[in-house]
Amino acid sequence: MDDFTQEELRALDSEGRALLTQHKICTWEGKEKTLTLINVYCPHADPGKPERLTFKMRFYRLLQIRAEALLAAGSHVIILGDLNTAHRPIDHWDAVNLECFEEDPGRKWMDGLLSNLGCESGSHMGPFIDSYRCFQPKQKGAFTCWSTVSGARHLNYGSRLDYVLGDRTLVIDTFQASFLLPEVMGSDHCPVGAVLSVSSVPAKQCPPLCTCFLPEFAGTQLKILRFLVHLKQDPVFKQSALQPSNQTQVHMRQNKARVRSTRSRPSKTGSSRGQKNLMSYFQPSSSRPQTSNLDIPSLGTLVTPKTSEEDVVANVVEGQAKASEAKDEKEIRTSFWKSLLGGPSPMPLCGGHREPCVMRTVKKPGPNLGRHFYMCARPQGPPTDPSSRCNFFLWSRPS
């Protein structure tokens, strides 16, 4: 740890990128040994942020020191997870077109960490083995990560960033298989795994941070009082809050007296004090005209005369004509607004497939930030694959 300062160690561990668990295993020879699993999510080196590449390489260095220290202590070690580096050209879909692929710092670190079972004598032999390449050394298209934005997974246009690395002795003696699960969806990565010919030895007692010790998983109904916390107050503050001072009491009495003086008092004349009777709101008003002065029409005027059949037919025909006129007027208005508001223009066709394009927005900082453009709607794939996305590009005209 002499290569790291305390501040750097805290910074490297502050992002929660490693989870370490230790287990007891029993080999086929009947020997009990300790197995340490280091689940990692290694940092990504953003080209626009050079400091993240430094952070990534320091994280790699610290991970290797921790793993080698566990090996020196007599434990088997497995490093698994997202290492965020495609090791060999066979692990990347476009390694041929990448400049200085072999000179990448992350790949050089993996060269020093890993050893190849087929390498010649005298070459470098790292403490760990890539278990998948141990069983599938020449398998092409074995990728674990694809771009979800470009839909590259449909054509398997990705890279292998997820690994199961085991120490040399463990892989040679106990590993039976190592596999990828690209058919499992739900993320831009797919799961990876391995099969070991060992059995796990149960612990004598559960770890203190085991879930079964948490009260919410104890299997019993919790009381609401468990979620409440007693508030501890200063006795002086509590007494002052409950018993106001003399000045405050005098001020409160003056306010109450002022409110009583400004409150309107009901008049004693007229109706008796108290709540009114509900029937008082239904008494006839003096301004309402009397029913005796109204001219009541005779019964004959209230009877509607019967209309003839010709009048009924005429009314129906007139109603249908009005409905037809209203429909024609609605269609005229609709056609007018359609001619005035044409709607969005049709998508242009890409040059490679003559298919409708998709619109995208520039999100990279620069002079074109926020501009719209058209590109081929097909998923990204190898340039030699005719079913993959063509290189069509067209800027969208401003509205």
Side-chain angles (χ1 to χ4, degrees):
M1 294 303 191
D2 297 337
D3 297 341
F4 301 89
T5 62
Q6 292 297 323
E7 292 76 9
E8 189 175 13
L9 290 174
R10 282 192 292 267
L12 290 172
D13 202 33
S14 63
E15 297 184 359
R17 293 183 172 273
L19 179 62
L20 187 147
T21 57
Q22 288 188 315
H23 313 264
K24 285 288 185 180
I25 60 172
C26 183
T27 63
W28 62 273
E29 299 174 350
K31 297 180 180 180
E32 290 189 6
K33 294 186 178 181
T34 302
L35 174 61
T36 303
L37 298 179
I38 306 179
N39 285 267
V40 293
Y41 175 33
C42 295
H44 170 67
D46 191 347
K49 299 179 180 179
E51 68 277 4
R52 292 302 293 178
L53 177 59
T54 304
F55 186 88
K56 176 179 180 178
M57 299 310 301
R58 298 297 283 173
F59 186 89
Y60 278 161
R61 176 60 181 160
L62 186 60
L63 175 62
Q64 184 173 356
I65 290 176
R66 187 76 169 99
E68 291 177 351
L70 290 166
L71 288 176
S75 172
H76 288 298
V77 178
I78 292 179
I79 302 175
L80 69 159
D82 182 6
L83 296 184
N84 251 321
T85 296
H87 185 204
R88 301 293 186 187
I90 195 176
D91 300 322
H92 198 282
W93 55 267
D94 201 21
V96 179
N97 297 324
L98 295 179
E99 297 181 2
C100 304
F101 182 85
E102 301 288 347
E103 301 300 322
D104 180 77
R107 296 183 179 94
K108 285 188 173 182
W109 173 78
M110 293 190 71
D111 290 340
L113 181 71
L114 302 178
S115 60
N116 189 357
L117 292 179
C119 61
E120 300 177 358
S121 59
S123 61
H124 173 76
M125 300 293 287
F128 289 88
I129 293 177
D130 181 358
S131 63
Y132 183 79
R133 286 305 172 196
C134 178
F135 293 93
Q136 305 289 340
K138 298 182 180 180
Q139 179 65 42
K140 295 182 179 180
F143 303 141
T144 65
C145 181
W146 306 264
S147 173
T148 56
V149 177
S150 60
R153 193 166 187 171
H154 296 282
L155 300 177
N156 195 24
Y157 200 56
S159 56
R160 190 169 72 100
L161 306 180
D162 305 86
Y163 301 83
V164 179
L165 311 179
D167 64 84
R168 288 178 53 84
T169 305
L170 184 68
V171 173
I172 295 174
D173 294 343
T174 64
F175 271 61
Q176 292 184 335
S178 185
F179 53 87
L180 314 179
L181 298 175
E183 68 278 2
V184 178
M185 310 299 290
S187 170
D188 57 337
H189 291 252
C190 77
V192 298
V195 179
L196 283 71
S197 60
V198 298
S199 58
S200 59
V201 179
K204 295 181 180 179
Q205 59 182 5
C206 294
L209 297 181
C210 188
T211 308
C212 63
F213 295 138
L214 301 180
E216 53 266 34
F217 296 101
T220 58
Q221 181 70 34
L222 298 179
K223 295 183 178 180
I224 195 172
L225 294 177
R226 188 174 184 86
F227 300 93
L228 303 179
V229 180
H230 291 284
L231 182 61
K232 296 182 180 180
Q233 292 184 350
D234 189 0
V236 178
F237 173 77
K238 185 176 181 181
Q239 182 178 4
S240 61
L242 295 177
Q243 298 179 359
S245 61
N246 296 332
Q247 295 180 357
T248 306
Q249 294 179 359
V250 172
H251 186 67
M252 292 171 61
R253 293 194 188 104
Q254 292 177 355
N255 290 340
K256 289 182 179 179
R258 189 178 298 108
V259 171
R260 293 194 191 99
S261 62
T262 57
R263 186 178 299 169
S264 60
R265 298 181 178 179
S267 175
K268 294 183 179 180
T269 60
S271 59
S272 60
R273 296 179 61 184
Q275 186 175 2
K276 288 186 176 182
N277 190 358
L278 183 62
M279 296 303 298
S280 62
Y281 295 97
F282 296 94
Q283 295 179 359
S285 176
S286 58
S287 60
R288 184 179 301 173
Q290 300 295 330
T291 56
S292 58
N293 297 330
L294 296 177
D295 295 333
I296 301 176
S298 61
L299 183 62
T301 59
L302 296 177
V303 178
T304 304
K306 295 183 180 180
T307 57
S308 61
E309 184 177 356
E310 292 80 4
D311 294 340
V312 174
V313 174
N315 292 336
V316 172
V317 173
E318 184 179 358
Q320 292 179 351
K322 290 182 178 180
S324 178
E325 292 178 358
K327 183 177 181 181
D328 295 340
E329 184 179 359
K330 183 178 180 180
E331 292 179 354
I332 293 174
R333 291 180 179 179
T334 303
S335 61
F336 168 75
W337 284 111
K338 284 184 177 180
S339 62
L340 185 62
L341 305 174
S345 57
M347 289 289 180
L349 304 180
C350 67
H353 310 96
R354 307 303 300 171
E355 296 176 353
C357 296
V358 292
M359 179 181 288
R360 295 286 186 260
T361 305
V362 178
K363 297 182 179 180
K364 184 178 180 180
N368 294 323
L369 179 64
R371 289 190 63 181
H372 301 289
F373 62 93
Y374 300 100
M375 61 184 301
C376 180
R378 292 201 177 191
Q380 187 180 13
T384 57
D385 190 350
S387 63
S388 63
R389 174 187 300 173
C390 63
N391 58 354
F392 179 82
F393 178 86
L394 178 66
W395 286 112
S396 175
R397 294 180 180 180
S399 57

